[in-house]
């Protein structure tokens, strides 16, 4: 009885080893695929952010044409951030 179950155990162990090897190969493929996907998504998000930045810069330039900044406001580098905050807040 014990001798007949031994070949089945070896066969089962062999099958489990094969499954394990396939899972390791799948893990490598998935890791590479997700890495590429993460890079592509990061690139897409950066591209999406560039458009609003460009539009905001153009709006700031138009605002400067209509209402030139006063000498007091050009002293610090916070002018752009202050103006952006005011635009965002709506006043």
């Amino acid at each position: 009885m014990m001798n007949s179950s031994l070949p089945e155990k070896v066969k089962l162990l062999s099958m489990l080893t094969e499954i394990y090897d396939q899972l390791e190969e799948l893990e490598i493929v998935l890791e590479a695929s997700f890495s590429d996907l993460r890079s592509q998504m990061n690139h897409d998000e950066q591209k999406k952010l560039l458009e609003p930045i460009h539009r905001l810069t153009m709006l700031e330039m138009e605002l400067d044409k209509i209402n030139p900044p006063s000498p007091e406001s050009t002293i610090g580098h916070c002018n752009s951030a202050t103006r952006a905050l005011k635009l965002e807040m709506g006043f």
Side-chain angles (χ1 to χ4, degrees):
M1 182 92 164
M2 189 162 213
N3 285 342
S4 68
S5 68
L6 187 61
E8 289 195 25
K9 286 180 182 179
V10 170
K11 184 178 176 181
L12 182 60
L13 184 59
S14 173
M15 289 170 53
L16 289 173
T17 303
E18 185 178 330
I19 291 171
Y20 179 81
D21 291 342
Q22 289 175 355
L23 286 173
E24 280 188 328
E25 289 175 21
L26 180 61
E27 180 183 20
I28 292 168
V29 170
L30 286 175
E31 180 65 33
S33 177
F34 281 127
S35 178
D36 291 345
L37 184 59
R38 274 192 302 271
S39 295
Q40 182 63 38
M41 287 176 67
N42 189 24
H43 180 271
D44 291 347
E45 289 301 313
Q46 291 294 328
K47 234 168 96 174
K48 287 179 188 176
L49 289 174
L50 286 177
E51 177 65 23
I53 289 170
H54 177 69
R55 290 165 79 187
L56 183 59
T57 302
M58 298 307 288
L59 283 173
E60 288 176 347
M61 289 170 58
E62 287 295 317
L63 189 64
D64 284 343
K65 287 179 188 175
I66 295 169
N67 187 15
S70 63
E72 299 89 32
S73 65
T74 57
I75 292 173
H77 290 288
C78 64
N79 182 31
S80 180
T82 303
R83 192 170 347 140
L85 182 59
K86 285 182 181 179
L87 282 173
E88 185 176 323
M89 295 175 70
F91 62 91

